[in-house]
Amino acid sequence: MSVAEREPKIVGFLCNWCSYAGADLAGTSRTSYPTSVRVIRVPCSGRVNPQFVLRAFQLGADGVLVAGCHPGDCHYSTGNYFTRRRFLLVKRFLDYLGIDQRRFRLRWISASEGPKFAETIREMTEELRQLGPRDAAAVEAHAE
Amino acid sequence: MKRVGVFLCWCGSNISSAVDLDQVAEQTALLPHVVHVEQYKYLCSDPGQETVRKAIKEHALNRVVIAACSPRMHERTFRRAVGSVGLNPHLMEIANIREQCSWVHPDKVTSTPVAVDLVRTAVAKAVKDIPLEPSYVGIEKRALVVGGGIAGIQAALDIADSGYEVVLVEREPTIGGRMAQLDKTFPTLDCSSCILTPKMVEAGQDPRIRLLTYAEVESLSGYIGNFEARIRMKARSVDLDRCTGCGDCWNKCPYRSPGEFDLGLGKRKAIYLPFPQAVPNKPVLDRATCAYFQKDGKCQVCKKVCAPGAIDFEQQDEILEERFGAVVVATGFDLWDHGRYGEYGAGQHPDVISSLEFERLVSASGPTDGKIKRPSDGKLPERVVFIQCVGSRDEAKGVPYCSKVCCMYTAKHAILLKEKIPSSQSYVFYIDVRAAGKNYEEFYRRATVEYGAQYIRGRVSRIYPRGDSLVVVGEDTLLGQKVEVEADLVVLATAVVSRSDAPQVAQKLGFSYDQHGFFTEAHPKLAPVETNTAGIFLAGACQGPKDIPDTVAQAGAAAAKVVRLFAKDQLETEPTVARVDRARCAGCEWCRPICPYKAIEMEAVTERVGSGQVARRVAKVNPSLCHGCGACSVACRSGAMNLLGFSNEQVWAEVEALCL
């Protein structure tokens, strides 16, 4: 597979109560989306330590998605508010690291928004394709 | 030595048709720690679970990975299966290769690598699993019900009837709530009092229910099964044990002021019974309107006439501290203040009244003995205009939501008006009629067809006085023309809004509320009576506008949840809670404010440093309070806080397994 055709790899941190259930709903309604995403289930988007995100980028992930309940709907009342503030900062830090901010997305996806999850993955995959591999050398090394 | 067994489920053909499971098995077998890989057609079935159990024993597995449907579906099933052969249930992980793989990636060529990745990730996590044990807490089998309207009464009765003690706290001097203020109820025209007061009496007489009227909950601490409440008993100035409710005091009291129960349409004495069927049927002395307290300290008429000597001017507020296992919150609603509509007279015209005021005028026990006399001059109104959605569905001045009950009670008002004043004519300005409910549409049709209520689709732009009547100017949007109706009385269906102090109540009791001040249910569909705080349940209009049948149903549901909790002797708490590594904890307390459950306390520890001892403070998680959200584990700067079941090491391993 050449670098251009290569499917980007997205690590998705989904909160158990909303976004993971939303992704499940995309499944039960057979809404197909690109095979780019691999999901890690966390109880709350507030559980996602920025270190996890940075580690994913460090190991060559093309994109990272953090998704949680809509503001006000957090199963734990306030978790996603912390997420929102925390990742505003993380995005600026990604700039500092030379990682394009567009590779990271924070999305609110409820348990009833299966189509939104699928759409998010489609959009993100398309954008990552256009951005190309994050670090061609790293990708080559990985291919070997 | 980690020995991981991986079980791949075909889910009939749901997974096997879209994923090459042989290939997944082949690649999984190569992973470190994996000693056994097996496929089965239906792993969740009894023989499927047996396959897992047998393999655990045969291959001495100490970690299990199930690659099947979503963990939201069968996590419990497989935890139980694993636990039944002596393995800790939390040494099992699920790879979701159905909802998040085979069902969304139907092409085997592209889906199989996804499944391989997901299984590898689950194995990586499972390797980092540690045995987790739930903790157990006892349950105080007494319920606190806050609010003594129909919701609170129903919940209290249901809980008491199941054999448990209930304390029912009501802020007003009597229970009964809003329903006691209503005349008749739609769509059956049952008299509201006739169906409510027997329940009030029942609640008052049930030996398992303790009524605390004229009382408020000051604070609530603790957690499910073990709440501690401070309840303020406001000074009533009447000794309830001595008082017989004879009525001598309020008959002789010389001071009158507008009565709250009648919304100021009638008068009450300074010592009074809010309404004749009040429970307890004993008066309250309102110190703000009593001459003894406000003027000279002389009057004392009530005290002089009280034969049992129940009047106690010296009575003080009293604080009760009680323990409860569960709480039902049923604090009801308020009505939107139509004074904010300048075009409707800004609340200044006496003959522009709210629907609840109309209820009091129609009620046989109301200030006019059930004669619909208009407030300004006591005249019987011939032409009455009802205006719907006053405040409701009005984002500009009021609230955006529909208040749900107004269409139906306005139809009822039109019927009652015609029955009481046969020569009268009612006009109803409406946006649209919402009559969803059993027999509701039929009831609304009766109001129009049998009782001749004239419905005009459109909003009212202005109300102004002309002589002794009111001119209502609006638009008929069906005819597309301006309408002017001269009326003797205008009744506004004001929006159902949350109690003005609802946010403070929610904060005191510890659960969330929405932008309108209504209390938030844990899940809009699947947990409509739970709050996001375990052990606190909701009933009635405090959660959102509701009619009486819905309120009673919700109260019964809340009671069932309480009883379900009390049926247990101990409460097993989820073991996936936060845990502190004391050695790493710096005692900075950053974890404490981020915790939505106040589950983190500080404790003092002493450590040996060199030859001396050092005392310091470290965080400590109360596992009964912790819900396992993990917010603290991210806030912790030294990495001392971890979340069991989703530990830093586990998520880290998952990220690595995915990216490598």
Side-chain angles (χ1 to χ4, degrees):
Chain A
M1 207 186 287
S2 78
V3 165
E5 288 164 357
R6 181 184 151 275
E7 180 94 295
K9 183 172 260 184
I10 303 168
V11 177
F13 294 94
L14 307 189
C15 89
N16 179 54
W17 305 97
C18 292
S19 308
Y20 193 90
D24 276 358
L25 180 63
T28 36
S29 38
R30 311 295 197 277
T31 310
S32 189
Y33 51 82
T35 53
S36 50
V37 68
R38 304 286 185 277
V39 169
I40 293 176
R41 183 168 72 124
V42 287
C44 176
S45 60
R47 170 64 187 108
V48 182
N49 195 315
Q51 285 178 318
F52 301 157
V53 174
L54 298 176
R55 181 65 169 154
F57 280 125
Q58 186 184 34
L59 294 175
D62 297 290
V64 174
L65 168 70
V66 173
C69 308
H70 286 266
D73 293 349
C74 178
H75 183 75
Y76 306 102
S77 312
T78 51
N80 51 4
Y81 293 127
F82 291 106
T83 312
R84 182 163 65 182
R85 277 179 251 164
R86 192 174 284 144
F87 282 99
L88 277 174
L89 188 63
V90 168
K91 284 181 94 166
R92 290 173 55 194
F93 189 58
L94 289 179
D95 267 350
Y96 172 80
L97 293 176
I99 298 170
D100 196 310
Q101 275 200 11
R102 287 172 290 179
R103 296 185 180 276
F104 174 81
R105 284 196 188 194
L106 177 62
R107 283 288 179 278
W108 310 129
I109 299 170
S110 80
S112 58
E113 291 177 328
K116 183 174 177 186
F117 176 75
E119 191 49 40
T120 302
I121 301 305
R122 273 195 288 269
E123 275 175 18
M124 216 173 152
T125 307
E126 193 43 48
E127 183 154 44
L128 290 171
R129 273 215 187 94
Q130 284 173 9
L131 286 171
R134 226 187 71 227
D135 174 356
V139 174
E140 290 301 318
H142 185 226
E144 288 161 19
Chain B
M1 192 52 198
K2 309 281 164 62
R3 296 179 61 84
V4 184
V6 180
F7 300 85
L8 308 173
C9 181
W10 291 14
C11 192
S13 62
N14 275 304
I15 296 172
S16 58
S17 69
V19 176
D20 184 345
L21 287 175
D22 290 335
Q23 208 188 318
V24 177
E26 211 175 283
Q27 298 211 25
T28 303
L30 301 174
L31 296 172
H33 306 294
V34 173
V35 295
H36 177 72
V37 182
E38 191 171 344
Q39 300 185 37
Y40 197 85
K41 199 166 183 183
Y42 289 107
L43 269 181
C44 59
S45 68
D46 273 349
Q49 294 182 44
E50 184 52 32
T51 311
V52 178
R53 288 193 284 258
K54 228 173 93 193
I56 292 173
K57 284 186 269 185
E58 268 178 24
H59 302 276
L61 303 178
N62 53 25
R63 298 289 186 281
V64 170
V65 169
I66 307 280
C69 54
S70 171
R72 293 174 56 86
M73 185 72 112
H74 275 313
E75 192 171 53
R76 269 169 196 271
T77 314
F78 290 113
R79 286 215 193 290
R80 226 178 290 133
V82 167
S84 69
V85 285
L87 198 60
N88 184 287
H90 292 271
L91 299 178
M92 191 277 309
E93 294 297 333
I94 290 187
N96 183 353
I97 59 166
R98 191 180 74 173
E99 280 86 344
Q100 296 181 9
C101 184
S102 72
W103 278 356
V104 286
H105 311 313
D107 178 6
K108 266 194 186 184
V109 176
T110 52
S111 68
T112 304
V114 176
V116 169
D117 280 2
L118 292 177
V119 174
R120 188 177 63 241
T121 306
V123 169
K125 187 180 182 196
V127 168
K128 302 282 181 187
D129 279 359
I130 56 167
L132 303 180
E133 299 298 337
S135 50
Y136 294 89
V137 288
I139 299 169
E140 182 76 34
K141 296 188 182 186
R142 296 172 81 226
L144 168 65
V145 177
V146 187
I150 181 60
I153 292 171
Q154 186 64 46
L157 286 173
D158 286 350
I159 296 167
D161 204 29
S162 310
Y164 301 106
E165 269 183 63
V166 181
V167 173
L168 176 54
V169 176
E170 166 59 51
R171 155 199 296 196
E172 300 296 326
T174 170
I175 58 170
R178 291 288 181 208
M179 190 175 166
Q181 292 177 295
L182 308 182
D183 177 45
K184 291 201 166 62
T185 54
F186 62 78
T188 49
L189 295 182
D190 284 307
C191 143
S192 187
S193 296
C194 313
I195 54 179
L196 173 69
T197 49
K199 281 195 185 287
M200 291 166 59
V201 171
E202 212 185 314
Q205 290 178 346
D206 193 311
R208 288 160 303 204
I209 300 178
R210 201 161 125 220
L211 287 189
L212 300 179
T213 52
Y214 212 47
E216 287 186 56
V217 177
E218 287 261 293
S219 67
L220 186 76
S221 58
Y223 49 92
I224 181 169
N226 297 277
F227 291 107
E228 276 162 42
R230 277 169 59 88
I231 302 165
R232 176 178 293 273
M233 304 284 298
K234 294 180 277 188
R236 195 179 183 115
S237 311
V238 175
D239 181 339
L240 289 182
D241 291 331
R242 288 192 176 181
C243 174
T244 61
C246 69
D248 286 347
C249 57
W250 70 77
N251 284 327
K252 296 280 159 48
C253 173
Y255 295 96
R256 286 170 177 273
S257 46
E260 294 81 0
F261 187 77
D262 286 328
L263 306 166
L265 293 169
K267 301 259 188 195
R268 62 151 170 86
K269 299 292 183 66
I271 186 165
Y272 68 102
L273 201 59
F275 59 101
Q277 302 89 346
V279 173
N281 207 253
K282 292 171 184 178
V284 59
L285 190 151
D286 175 27
R287 293 186 177 181
T289 50
C290 171
Y292 174 83
F293 286 97
Q294 298 302 324
K295 287 184 184 165
D296 44 13
K298 279 185 190 149
C299 176
Q300 296 200 29
V301 168
C302 52
K303 190 166 187 172
K304 285 171 201 151
V305 298
C306 181
I311 308 294
D312 178 3
F313 294 128
E314 312 302 317
Q315 208 178 58
Q316 299 287 319
D317 284 9
E318 201 185 317
I319 301 286
L320 296 181
E321 290 191 358
E322 301 267 343
R323 286 172 56 78
F324 301 99
V327 182
V328 176
V329 181
T331 50
F333 64 96
D334 269 333
L335 288 177
W336 193 73
D337 174 16
H338 61 80
R340 277 184 264 175
Y341 271 162
E343 57 270 43
Y344 295 174
Q348 295 306 305
H349 201 286
D351 292 333
V352 179
I353 62 173
S354 75
S355 296
L356 196 58
E357 288 170 317
F358 188 79
E359 292 281 349
R360 295 313 301 148
L361 292 181
V362 191
S363 170
S365 61
T368 54
D369 296 324
K371 291 203 172 60
I372 305 174
K373 295 179 183 169
R374 63 180 200 172
S376 63
D377 54 8
K379 196 179 116 183
L380 299 186
E382 287 291 325
R383 303 153 301 174
V384 179
V385 168
F386 294 93
I387 304 176
Q388 303 275 271
C389 298
V390 177
S392 310
R393 307 171 72 191
D394 179 357
E395 294 198 32
K397 282 190 177 168
V399 294
Y401 56 83
C402 164
S403 294
K404 204 173 174 189
V405 290
C406 325
C407 285
M408 294 314 297
Y409 72 58
T410 297
K412 175 188 79 180
H413 287 170
I415 291 175
L416 295 178
L417 174 72
K418 193 74 177 174
E419 279 184 347
K420 297 236 165 173
I421 310 175
S423 57
S424 67
Q425 173 64 50
S426 54
Y427 304 87
V428 181
F429 282 89
Y430 71 103
I431 301 181
D432 43 30
V433 174
R434 298 185 166 178
K438 196 170 172 181
N439 293 324
Y440 285 12
E441 176 70 16
E442 296 91 318
F443 183 76
Y444 151 66
R445 297 284 300 164
R446 266 174 67 199
T448 56
V449 177
E450 286 178 38
Y451 291 86
Q454 198 178 325
Y455 274 67
I456 303 161
R457 186 175 184 274
R459 294 198 67 118
V460 170
S461 58
R462 205 175 150 214
I463 301 171
Y464 62 92
R466 181 192 289 161
D468 69 346
S469 55
L470 294 158
V471 181
V472 179
V473 186
E475 194 193 359
D476 187 328
T477 54
L478 293 180
L479 297 177
Q481 65 187 31
K482 193 178 150 192
V483 198
E484 254 191 44
V485 182
E486 196 157 323
D488 303 310
L489 183 68
V490 176
V491 182
L492 307 178
T494 46
V496 171
V497 295
S498 60
R499 294 272 185 200
S500 56
D501 60 348
Q504 290 87 310
V505 169
Q507 284 157 7
K508 250 192 299 197
L509 301 182
F511 50 81
S512 52
Y513 54 95
D514 66 19
Q515 70 268 42
H516 307 300
F518 290 115
F519 301 151
T520 312
E521 61 281 8
H523 188 282
K525 313 235 167 5
L526 300 177
V529 301
E530 289 94 334
T531 62
N532 50 4
T533 303
I536 304 185
F537 305 97
L538 301 174
C542 61
Q543 181 251 352
K546 271 188 198 68
D547 59 15
I548 296 168
D550 282 1
T551 296
V552 171
Q554 199 189 13
K561 298 285 178 188
V562 171
V563 170
R564 171 179 159 221
L565 175 66
F566 289 177
K568 299 173 188 161
D569 289 321
Q570 275 193 323
L571 209 58
E572 188 183 311
T573 58
E574 276 289 320
T576 48
V577 292
R579 184 186 277 175
V580 184
D581 179 350
R582 287 180 176 185
R584 280 195 191 179
C585 176
C588 71
E589 301 195 27
W590 272 48
C591 50
R592 294 187 73 194
I594 204 172
C595 176
Y597 306 102
K598 300 190 178 82
I600 303 171
E601 296 154 20
M602 299 306 287
E603 65 174 337
V605 289
T606 41
E607 284 167 351
R608 275 187 59 185
V609 176
S611 55
Q613 294 238 319
V614 174
R616 61 191 193 98
R617 277 154 57 80
V618 294
K620 181 188 172 191
V621 177
N622 180 336
S624 320
L625 289 179
C626 176
H627 283 47
C629 69
C632 56
S633 62
V634 183
C636 182
R637 298 182 291 183
S638 54
M641 193 64 90
N642 214 339
L643 178 64
L644 300 177
F646 296 92
S647 68
N648 293 330
E649 298 74 22
Q650 286 176 308
V651 182
W652 198 255
E654 286 179 275
V655 171
E656 290 186 342
L658 272 187
C659 296
L660 286 176

